[in-house]
Amino acid sequence: KSGCPATDLPLLRGGITDSNCVKWQSALPKKLASEKPEYVIIANATQITAKVATPTTSYVNTWSAGFSSFLGKLQAQGLKVIVIGDTPYPGQNSPSCLSVHLKDPSACDVTRTRTPSSTVTKEIALKYGAPFIDPLDWICDGDTCPAVRGGTNVYRDNSHLSVAFTRTLVPALTEALKKVT
């Protein structure tokens, strides 16, 4: 469901709890169990830009509790889960940056980093026995995540990978999935 993370983490939309998201998050484990998929693959944006509905002093702790709870529910339903790690956040609108730096696209590159919530996602996945696939090596070169790879814009905005670039990742993702299934 677009904009709803696969986690027990209620979000605020327009200042009120997004009840559609909460219903989806609550119903999903049993719905998946009834459909009996061979695997459930989770790929979340871990650094949620919407505000969480639960008062918190630590977003990472709130994310951690919500993701742990959700994986626990999937595990209780006997589902096999694979978690794909988050992609790097460029921190800027990459196409806008590239339009200003036509002759030097490397000016729009970003440093390879992981958000604390992304790091804890991997720890939680492994704790629950879910294989973790990390896409950072497919996107970044060493410590740099280029804005353009192989002549293709990596991002379509300030956080989403472009469709064209995502297509270049199909062989790597296919291979990674074969290794964990």
Side-chain angles (χ1 to χ4, degrees), residues 44-57:
N44 281 320
T46 61
Q47 193 63 39
I48 303 299
T49 55
K51 294 182 179 177
V52 295
T54 309
T56 180
T57 56

Side-chain angles (χ1 to χ4, degrees), residues 113-130:
T113 58
R114 249 187 240 300
T115 63
S117 48
S118 180
T119 300
V120 78
T121 296
K122 178 179 181 178
E123 293 167 3
I124 293 165
L126 298 176
K127 173 184 166 190
Y128 281 88

Side-chain angles (χ1 to χ4, degrees), residues 23-69:
K23 287 176 191 171
W24 178 82
Q25 291 163 326
S26 177
L28 188 59
K30 286 186 181 177
K31 180 173 176 36
L32 287 171
S34 72
E35 293 179 4
K36 299 179 175 74
E38 190 171 345
Y39 292 94
V40 174
I41 299 174
I42 296 175
N44 281 320
T46 61
Q47 193 63 39
I48 303 299
T49 55
K51 294 182 179 177
V52 295
T54 309
T56 180
T57 56
S58 167
Y59 174 80
V60 174
N61 290 345
T62 302
W63 171 264
S64 180
F67 193 59
S68 290
S69 172

